[in-house]
Amino acid sequence: MYDDLVEFLQESVTPFHAAATAESWLCAAGFTRLEEADYWSLEPGKGYYTTRNGSSVVAWRVPQHAIGGWRIVASHSDSPSWKIKADTVENDGCRRLSVEGYGGMIMSTWLDRPLTVGGRALVKTEDGIESRLVYLDRDLLVIPSLAIHFQRDINKGHTFNPQVDMQPLWGPAGSRTLTDLVAESLGVEAADILDSDLQLVTRQAPTQIGPDGEFFMAPRIDDLECAATTLLGFLDASGETDSACAPVWAMFDNEEVGSSSRMGAASSYLRDVLDRILEAVPHSAQASHRAMANSFMLSADNAHATHPNFPQKSDPCAPVRLGGGVVLKYNASQKYTTNAVSGAIFRAICRKADVPVQVFTNRADEAGGSTLGNLQSHTLPIPMADIGCAQFAMHSAVETASVTDAEAMTKAVAAFYRVHLRALGDGTYTLE
């Protein structure tokens, strides 16, 4: 399982690559791609998937009988990074790229490390316009620090100005441009590149650390660890799930900037797909409402582990440990969707599967972050629980997590898809 996670982390250098990696896994498992613009004809027992913007994916398997509910797990494909605004800018004998921050990040972690460029380019072809993945697989750029000699108090703290401190060095004046390199990598003329969505990418490969390799470090652990492990659980169980419920796996883009895009969790994307599935199989309006009432969703986004150097930042009543199992997240302000009902259901599923569960809550005097579950609730009125894997250094250029927690997440998600969950009434369920 860990090797699969490493593959996903290495291949998914941008949200577009994450969607492509997920697509390759789904295709290998026999799933069929559908385009949103085409007519959908679905067969019982078959698996399908569709993409939006090339950066979000929804996959599902059609039950053999009428759809009696949905079993959904969702994660996100994006991570904080630097979006490239302009090709190269001359400055004092050097060329720089012009970048703008995407998402909330620890800016200092991007300094003095090898970087490159990834994303997509829209290319003019004989037939029209085509989107192509871009990844310049080499150490290409750096954001150099200012020497301590010019900022003697740097170790006392520094406020980073992204326009001044965080613009990456491209090369000497007169060097080839980014457009030149992208065109060369795609085998096209520079003039044929009509537009692009490109970003900086950290070059560090995933690596295990600890006396016995208990932990691992990698870029984009938040949230590609959940994306990969939930997809592994979905593929492991989707062929043998509750015959009355349709298993669904989703990965959204733009969570780090609020999810309000057409491919984000706050959009109608997932609801659009579910409605179209029902339209493609025999059902009634009553059956549609009953299926929604008998559904359940897991919102999978990583959680903060209690930091050994800063334990005072965590709730002393809810310590979270690397290697402690899947994290179930609660928030009084409903930034997380877990409540007593959804929490009990998830705990019961994990208990049957022998998967350890730990709880995350914020300190009462610390504002918490949000994720995609509560936003998805705007279009899907179904019970949800927020879960994740524990990690350190969330939103750093390189983060740290536990190998066994990734295994626990995969096992928990597979068990979730396999369970025969039935809503007998409001707040009353059976699990078989």
Side-chain angles (χ1 to χ4, degrees):
M1 191 288 307
Y2 176 70
D3 290 341
D4 292 328
L5 173 58
V6 168
E7 175 190 330
F8 199 94
L9 289 168
Q10 285 186 306
E11 296 294 327
S12 304
V13 292
T14 73
F16 307 107
H17 291 79
T21 304
E23 179 173 15
S24 69
W25 287 17
L26 290 163
C27 288
F31 283 68
T32 299
R33 179 185 175 100
L34 298 176
E35 301 295 341
E36 285 196 276
D38 292 343
Y39 180 85
W40 289 6
S41 179
L42 307 181
E43 298 180 34
K46 299 291 186 179
Y48 301 90
Y49 71 95
T50 187
T51 67
R52 181 177 284 187
N53 189 54
S55 58
S56 294
V57 184
V58 177
W60 67 95
R61 190 177 291 278
V62 181
Q64 293 288 351
H65 306 288
I67 294 175
W70 308 101
R71 297 291 174 267
I72 306 167
V73 181
S75 59
H76 65 88
S77 60
D78 61 321
S79 301
S81 184
W82 297 93
K83 297 289 187 177
I84 297 171
K85 297 191 296 181
D87 198 326
T88 51
V89 180
E90 299 282 351
N91 188 63
D92 290 326
C94 295
R95 277 187 163 177
R96 299 181 300 166
L97 298 185
S98 178
V99 301
E100 181 178 2
Y102 173 89
M105 70 190 76
I106 305 174
M107 292 188 190
S108 62
T109 62
W110 285 80
L111 298 172
D112 305 317
R113 63 168 64 247
L115 305 171
T116 191
V117 172
R120 67 175 175 184
L122 279 297
V123 178
K124 182 178 68 175
T125 69
E126 292 182 357
D127 298 321
I129 300 173
E130 182 177 290
S131 178
R132 298 187 186 179
L133 290 177
V134 173
Y135 182 56
L136 305 181
D137 191 7
R138 51 181 284 199
D139 295 342
L140 186 61
L141 305 106
V142 66
I143 305 174
S145 295
L146 180 63
I148 194 171
H149 309 79
F150 302 128
Q151 46 180 353
R152 295 289 183 177
D153 61 350
I154 182 65
N155 293 321
K156 296 179 181 179
H158 179 73
T159 300
F160 288 91
N161 182 328
Q163 185 67 28
V164 175
D165 296 273
M166 306 307 298
Q167 301 301 303
L169 173 66
W170 172 257
S175 56
R176 289 188 296 161
T177 68
L178 172 59
T179 302
D180 292 333
L181 265 63
V182 170
E184 181 181 292
S185 72
L186 298 178
V188 301
E189 297 296 325
D192 291 334
I193 298 177
L194 302 176
D195 209 338
S196 61
D197 290 310
L198 301 175
Q199 67 183 62
L200 299 186
V201 177
T202 55
R203 291 284 291 162
Q204 180 167 327
T207 184
Q208 285 183 258
I209 61 171
D212 296 299
E214 299 93 337
F215 306 144
F216 69 98
M217 298 175 61
R220 302 175 296 279
I221 287 176
D222 172 28
D223 187 36
L224 293 186
E225 180 180 14
C226 282
T229 53
T230 59
L231 180 53
L232 288 168
F234 171 75
L235 293 175
D236 182 45
S238 67
E240 50 180 290
T241 54
D242 183 345
S243 61
C245 289
V248 179
W249 178 83
M251 181 178 68
F252 299 105
D253 195 1
N254 299 137
E255 189 276 341
E256 299 294 357
V257 291
S259 297
S260 60
S261 64
R262 62 182 287 270
M263 50 279 189
S267 74
S268 63
Y269 181 32
L270 180 55
R271 184 59 183 262
D272 290 344
V273 172
L274 299 185
D275 288 346
R276 289 193 66 174
I277 294 170
L278 287 175
E279 290 167 3
V281 298
H283 78 286
S284 65
Q286 279 280 1
S288 175
H289 292 298
R290 292 182 66 189
M292 196 64 69
N294 194 42
S295 298
F296 198 92
M297 176 173 165
L298 298 176
S299 166
D301 197 357
N302 268 3
H304 300 288
T306 301
H307 198 298
N309 294 343
F310 306 96
Q312 70 278 9
K313 289 294 184 179
S314 298
D315 187 346
C317 296
V320 175
R321 312 297 186 199
L322 294 189
V326 178
V327 182
L328 185 59
K329 301 189 285 186
Y330 294 82
N331 182 262
S333 299
Q334 295 299 294
K335 293 294 182 67
Y336 302 133
T337 59
T338 315
N339 60 22
V341 173
S342 60
I345 290 171
F346 184 72
R347 290 171 192 263
I349 292 170
C350 287
R351 184 173 297 175
K352 289 183 66 173
D354 196 26
V355 174
V357 175
Q358 49 187 338
V359 168
F360 173 84
T361 58
N362 288 297
R363 283 176 55 105
D365 56 358
E366 288 278 355
S370 62
T371 185
L372 54 91
N374 62 333
L375 299 174
Q376 193 63 71
S377 296
H378 299 172
T379 56
L380 287 181
I382 64 177
M384 300 184 188
D386 271 279
I387 62 174
C389 296
Q391 70 166 88
F392 292 139
M394 189 174 290
H395 291 196
S396 172
V398 176
E399 301 161 323
T400 301
S402 162
V403 173
T404 59
D405 287 343
E407 295 169 350
M409 177 63 82
T410 303
K411 188 175 179 182
V413 169
F416 167 72
Y417 282 120
R418 288 192 176 102
V419 72
H420 289 222
L421 181 66
R422 292 287 184 277
L424 301 181
D426 188 15
T428 304
Y429 290 82
T430 60
L431 289 86
E432 300 173 5

